[in-house]
Amino acid sequence: MAGAVSVSAVSVGVRRYAPCAPLPVAMVLWLLSLRNVDLGGMGALGLLQVLPALYWIAVIVLTVGFVVTLRTPRLGQGWLAGYVLALIAIIHATPTLLYPTLRYAWAWKHVAIVDAMLHHNGLVPNAGDLDIYNQWPGFFLLNVAVLKVLGLSSPVAYAAWTPPFANALMLVPLLLIYRSVTTDRRIVWTGVWIYYSVSWIGQDYFSPQAFAFLLYAWLMALVLRRLPALARAPGEPAPGRPPDRSAHGARWHGGWGWSLVPVLLLDAVIVSSHQLTPLMVISGLALLMIPRRNRRVVLPPLVGALVLTAVWGATVARPYLSANLGTFVSSLASPDGNVASGFRSLGSAAPEQVLVGFVDRGLSGTVLLLAVACLVLRPWTRHTPFFWLFFSPLPLLAANAYGGEMLFRAYMFSLPAAGFLIGALVHPNRRGREAAPTRWSGPRKALLPVLMLALLAGLFFSYDSKEAMNYYTSDEVAAASWMIRNAPPGAAIVAVTGAVPGLDERYYEHYEVVLVSTPPAIQQLLVADPRSALFYSVGFVKPGTPAYLILSRAQTWELRLTGELPADTVARLGDAVSVTPGFTLVYRNADASVYRFVVS
């Protein structure tokens, strides 16, 4: 009898935790899939071409397991958190584990800025165009402090882990934001999963934007948690407070007191770290102020955000704002142009990247359509803060092009709200409870994992398809490092594109020329006569100055993928200088070459 009871208990335990089994299985499959990945086989679709079938099987197993666990109420939400963290690892830790070096040119640039501040008492010396980092230094100074505490010489030691780390940290404020509106775990966790499944913009690398966006999420979480009950799902009390017994559920008003201090501190760090995010904070809070019931809660942080942003702009950031005031004013007069600036022509890109461009637009459009569909089909969501937060980037989208990136940033800042709305769309909620089963319940349950996998497919296309130019081999890093170390102060550094790791290192000692960013006349000459274009590009440098030209694998791939210049430009330039007197090959390895010449 005792044996039978024991077997029965084991059987119950197995049935209880069976939905959790896909999590460890998926993680093992993922780790096994990363063995012997041939990074040299990456082509016009990046990692998509070299990740093995086992990797994609792990994604499917993880997604199905998440849906099953979501539908098993007896399992604690810790399991759901485990599935989400596993998804973050599969998406964002894969490049970090596979690549021997830090990926992405802008991450290397930010490493160079931190290094400069570390060695120059917190300032970017001889800044020129980089003076913007002196005017918004918060992120960089924080890293300088971290380096001093840890005894490190450069953030490159940990910068590669920023994408998985930043996305994992984002989970906590996301949960706080979603739970400020509903306690329905299906909506909350589906919204979280959707958020990570459609966040393809790629602003999670080592950057002030990633840092400020995380703080933005925390700030909004603190504000939303204090909103009155009518700002939440029908029938659900404010978190941590008794249900509202008033006639309309809207008479609760909480003063901020000392609890406003963390909100203002978060905003102060945001204001000192990034140009755009403080404006997104103001726009979001301003729209949350529209419902009268929210005003007592939202007004203090909104006033604080306005004051902090204005003071910073009038003092530390005044040089940049004064120099660009005319551009800001002219942008206000062309809202259609600001929106259209994000729709770049795909005609010159590689055919595979044209496909990726359409996938990007399709994924973004699908997300926005599903979110709007929720607002139409789930009326209660229109009375929540997510209605306002979803549309909060629109004023800034209409006001400024932000270098052609505002459309992407608007999408990014709308994603937390969009994720929740899609979660509410696929899980009908009736006064905080699940709707009664209908004849459509079965098909809906089958469609949920299909929708999740379809969105993830779009994410992988968008997020991993440019890795041929974002990935740097050890040889490329070695070549760039050798060039920067050996170029004497005052020398000119020339590259065809910015896809050179460490190109900005010790920038204050060198002139820097990126040929793809030169005036159109020089670019046209580069196509017709690469050698002459090279000399024209350094014409502003004093004659007799030594110059170094670096040609590398990633630069070739950037031109192939983007089409900014003919794909063979790097090879043709290399052929031209290799037979030209005065050019000396001073360094070469499998993926990069460095030539030295003298400006004449």
Side-chain angles (χ1 to χ4, degrees):
M1 179 65 70
V5 171
S6 177
V7 171
S8 176
V10 170
S11 176
V12 170
V14 169
R15 288 197 303 271
R16 177 185 177 92
Y17 292 103
C20 305
L23 176 57
V25 170
M27 294 303 290
V28 170
L29 293 176
W30 168 57
L31 292 174
L32 290 175
S33 75
L34 302 185
R35 299 182 306 167
N36 304 318
V37 174
D38 179 18
L39 296 176
M42 282 196 290
L45 287 176
L47 276 176
L48 298 180
Q49 295 175 249
V50 298
L51 290 172
L54 204 59
Y55 180 89
W56 306 113
I57 293 172
V59 173
I60 295 172
V61 170
L62 188 74
T63 304
V64 173
F66 173 81
V67 173
V68 173
T69 303
L70 186 68
R71 293 170 177 167
T72 309
R74 66 177 180 273
L75 293 176
Q77 297 190 48
W79 285 103
L80 294 171
Y83 273 101
V84 171
L85 291 173
L87 178 68
I88 293 170
I90 288 178
I91 296 172
H92 299 288
T94 293
T96 305
L97 292 173
L98 288 178
Y99 298 172
T101 66
L102 177 65
R103 65 182 285 277
Y104 195 43
W106 278 91
W108 280 95
K109 183 171 187 174
H110 294 150
V111 166
I113 299 300
V114 173
D115 288 343
M117 287 188 172
L118 179 64
H119 296 103
H120 293 88
N121 298 318
L123 290 176
V124 180
N126 305 324
D129 292 341
L130 300 179
D131 192 47
I132 192 172
Y133 297 119
N134 281 326
Q135 296 172 48
W136 280 277
F139 167 78
F140 301 100
L141 292 178
L142 175 63
N143 278 277
V144 168
V146 170
L147 292 177
K148 290 182 176 180
V149 169
L150 298 180
L152 299 175
S153 60
S154 171
V156 75
Y158 58 80
W161 285 97
T162 301
F165 187 65
N167 279 281
L169 289 179
M170 188 71 180
L171 178 58
V172 176
L174 269 183
L175 289 173
L176 292 175
I177 289 171
Y178 292 173
R179 287 172 176 170
S180 70
V181 171
T182 182
T183 56
D184 188 329
R185 76 179 214 155
R186 301 164 308 142
I187 295 177
V188 169
W189 286 101
T190 301
V192 168
W193 183 277
I194 294 294
Y195 169 83
Y196 288 111
S197 299
V198 298
S199 184
W200 67 269
I201 299 298
Q203 291 296 317
D204 50 11
Y205 63 98
F206 184 70
S207 65
Q209 175 66 92
F211 175 65
F213 185 63
L214 177 63
L215 299 184
Y216 165 88
W218 271 105
L219 187 152
M220 288 300 175
L222 294 178
V223 172
L224 264 58
R225 297 286 290 182
R226 300 186 66 85
L227 291 181
L230 263 188
R232 298 179 170 82
E236 297 207 29
R241 299 184 180 91
D244 193 333
R245 304 301 183 185
S246 62
H248 300 288
R251 295 181 182 172
W252 178 85
H253 295 292
W256 277 97
W258 285 103
S259 57
L260 183 62
V261 173
V263 175
L264 296 181
L265 287 176
L266 285 171
D267 193 62
V269 178
I270 292 171
V271 166
S272 68
S273 298
H274 196 245
Q275 310 96 305
L276 177 63
T277 307
L279 303 180
M280 287 292 185
V281 170
I282 292 171
S283 182
L285 293 176
L287 265 66
L288 286 174
M289 276 275 293
I290 293 177
R292 180 179 297 180
R293 64 179 178 271
N294 293 347
R295 292 176 186 172
R296 186 168 180 179
V297 170
V298 178
L299 183 59
L302 175 59
V303 171
L306 287 167
V307 171
L308 288 170
T309 304
V311 169
W312 191 268
T315 54
V316 182
R318 183 176 180 179
Y320 176 84
L321 297 179
S322 298
N324 292 275
L325 184 59
T327 303
F328 299 150
V329 173
S330 61
S331 293
L332 292 173
S334 56
D336 55 336
N338 296 330
V339 176
S341 66
F343 291 98
R344 298 172 182 170
S345 172
L346 300 173
S348 60
E352 296 87 348
Q353 289 301 307
V354 173
L355 171 63
V356 171
F358 283 114
V359 171
D360 294 345
R361 297 174 184 185
L363 177 60
S364 303
T366 299
V367 170
L368 299 180
L369 285 175
L370 289 174
V372 171
C374 175
L375 294 173
V376 173
L377 300 175
R378 306 284 182 257
W380 67 270
T381 59
R382 298 198 292 269
H383 303 288
T384 69
F386 296 112
F387 175 84
W388 305 106
L389 291 180
F390 178 68
F391 292 108
S392 65
L394 292 183
L396 293 175
L397 177 60
N400 196 280
Y402 201 63
E405 293 190 10
M406 186 62 83
L407 186 63
F408 305 109
R409 303 303 176 92
Y411 175 80
M412 181 176 75
F413 278 90
S414 70
L415 273 189
F420 179 90
L421 293 174
I422 296 174
L425 176 67
V426 299
H427 295 295
N429 185 292
R430 184 173 299 168
R431 299 197 65 79
R433 299 184 298 275
E434 185 177 4
T438 69
R439 59 183 181 141
W440 301 107
S441 297
R444 188 191 305 119
K445 288 182 178 181
L447 285 174
L448 181 57
V450 173
L451 172 64
M452 289 179 167
L453 288 171
L455 294 176
L456 276 173
L459 172 79
F460 284 114
F461 251 92
S462 302
Y463 196 79
D464 289 337
S465 61
K466 294 179 174 62
E467 290 306 291
M469 72 179 192
N470 292 334
Y471 155 65
Y472 301 118
T473 66
S474 297
D475 280 346
E476 288 177 278
V477 174
S481 177
W482 183 94
M483 178 182 65
I484 297 299
R485 287 198 317 269
N486 288 275
I493 302 295
V494 185
V496 180
T497 79
V500 178
L503 182 64
D504 297 289
E505 193 69 28
R506 288 167 51 191
Y507 70 88
Y508 42 86
E509 295 183 357
H510 308 126
Y511 298 103
E512 181 181 306
V513 177
V514 177
L515 296 176
V516 79
S517 301
T518 54
I522 295 181
Q523 294 186 36
Q524 293 169 9
L525 184 60
L526 187 62
V527 175
D529 186 355
R531 182 177 53 191
S532 297
L534 178 60
F535 280 113
Y536 272 109
S537 70
V538 294
F540 67 96
V541 180
K542 181 181 178 181
T545 300
Y548 292 78
L549 169 67
I550 183 167
L551 304 173
S552 61
R553 179 204 65 85
Q555 294 181 79
T556 300
W557 271 113
E558 181 170 2
L559 295 183
R560 288 184 185 179
L561 298 183
T562 64
E564 293 181 276
L565 288 172
D568 63 348
T569 299
V570 173
R572 291 177 62 243
L573 185 56
D575 292 341
V577 301
S578 65
V579 296
T580 300
F583 283 84
T584 304
L585 179 65
V586 292
Y587 187 95
R588 169 175 282 175
N589 59 36
D591 292 317
S593 301
V594 179
Y595 291 87
R596 186 183 186 277
F597 64 102
V598 177
V599 177
S600 59

